[in-house]
Amino acid sequence: NHHLRNMDGDGHGHGHGHGHGHGHGHAHDCAAEHKEMTEAFDERWLFDTIDTANIRALNADPEHGVLHAIKPFDLRFDTTRWLESDADEQLIITIPFTGSVKLKAFSLGSGPEGSGPCKIKAFINRDDIDFDNVNDMTPVQSWELAVGNPPDAEHLFKVSKFSRVRLLTLFVDTNHGDDTTRISYLAFKGIFTPLNTEPVVAAYELRPMPGDLRNKLEESAMNNLGM
C-alpha cells in the first residue's frame, strides 16, 4: 500500500506540475506578446512632446539655433534650415520632454560631407551638463554616425536605460572634419507618458556657470525662428 501510494503521489504530482508549468509558460508568452504589440502601437515620433521653450544648445551659432533642426517627420528631408555649431565642431543639446518618455530610437540628418556629426554621447535627466563637465561624465550610450547620415536612418537606444527620460542631453563630440557641425534634422521615437502631477516649475533654471566660453545660451530660441 505504501508503495502504491508513492506511485500514485508521484504520478499525480508529475501530471499536475507539468500541466501547471505548461499553462503558466503559455500565459506568460501571451502577456509578453501583448505588451510588445501594445508598445509597438504606442510607439511614435515624439515631436509634439518636446518642451521647445526650454530646449537649448550650447555652442550653437546664433543664426542657426537648435529649433532649426527640430522638425516634424514630414519635413525630415528639409535642408533649408539647420542647427550649426559656432566656435568649433562640438555641441551640447539638451532636450526636455513635457512628460516621461521611453526612448526607442533617434534620427538625425547630417549636414554636407565633413560637417555631419561623428561621435555622439547621450546623458539623461541632468540639467547641469556643459563643456566644463561633460568629459568627466560617463555617457549612458554612445554612437558613431557615418558621413552624410540620412534623416530616415534610425539609431537605436538601449531601451532599458532610457525608459524614464524627462531630459535628454546629446553631446556631439566630433564631426567628420569640418570646422563646424551641421544638423538639419533631429527627432526621437518612443513611448510618451503624461505626468500625473502638476508641472514642476524651475526644473530647467539653466544658468551656466562661467567657464568654457562655449557655454553661452542662445539669446532666445524663438528669435532663431524669425518670429
Side-chain angles (χ1 to χ4, degrees):
N1 275 355
H2 180 68
H3 182 65
L4 282 174
R5 255 199 323 272
N6 264 353
M7 287 282 290
D8 183 54
D10 280 12
H12 177 72
H14 178 70
H16 176 73
H18 178 72
H20 177 72
H22 178 73
H24 177 72
H26 181 68
H28 178 74
D29 289 348
C30 287
E33 242 172 66
H34 178 70
K35 185 167 185 286
E36 270 179 33
M37 282 169 62
T38 309
E39 288 210 342
F41 180 74
D42 290 338
E43 189 177 306
R44 62 184 181 87
W45 293 103
L46 299 167
F47 172 75
D48 60 338
T49 71
I50 293 173
D51 179 6
T52 49
N54 288 300
I55 193 171
R56 63 166 185 165
L58 297 180
N59 194 39
D61 179 337
E63 299 292 311
H64 299 284
V66 62
L67 290 179
H68 286 195
I70 305 292
K71 302 169 184 172
F73 183 72
D74 58 351
L75 291 178
R76 62 195 181 282
F77 293 106
D78 167 56
T79 55
T80 61
R81 292 148 47 86
W82 63 88
L83 162 64
E84 186 163 353
S85 63
D86 193 9
D88 59 16
E89 79 281 11
Q90 294 187 323
L91 283 163
I92 294 178
I93 306 164
T94 298
I95 300 133
F97 295 94
T98 55
S100 176
V101 297
K102 178 188 277 192
L103 290 172
K104 297 291 188 85
F106 74 92
S107 288
L108 182 151
S110 285
E113 296 160 10
S115 70
C118 179
K119 288 184 180 167
I120 297 181
K121 299 175 181 178
F123 308 86
I124 58 169
N125 301 335
R126 294 278 304 252
D127 65 358
D128 61 342
I129 297 176
D130 61 23
F131 287 105
D132 292 322
N133 61 20
V134 69
N135 287 311
D136 301 328
M137 298 183 180
T138 304
V140 182
Q141 191 174 346
S142 301
W143 299 264
E144 201 158 307
L145 272 52
V147 177
N149 185 76
D152 53 351
E154 292 184 18
H155 305 276
L156 301 180
F157 286 100
K158 293 173 184 163
V159 181
S160 61
K161 295 185 176 183
F162 292 86
S163 60
R164 287 193 183 89
V165 179
R166 289 290 317 282
L167 193 69
L168 174 72
T169 300
L170 294 180
F171 171 39
V172 178
D173 191 5
T174 63
N175 66 8
H176 288 283
D178 279 12
D179 292 339
T180 59
T181 295
R182 282 191 183 196
I183 296 171
S184 62
Y185 177 68
L186 184 59
F188 305 92
K189 181 185 271 189
I191 297 167
F192 177 77
T193 306
L195 295 177
N196 298 326
T197 54
E198 289 299 303
V200 179
V201 184
Y204 314 110
E205 284 199 23
L206 302 166
R207 291 189 294 272
M209 294 297 109
D212 194 303
L213 292 174
R214 295 172 296 169
N215 290 337
K216 65 182 189 300
L217 286 173
E218 298 165 37
E219 284 301 303
S220 158
M222 286 302 171
N223 287 347
N224 293 330
L225 292 179
M227 291 178 170

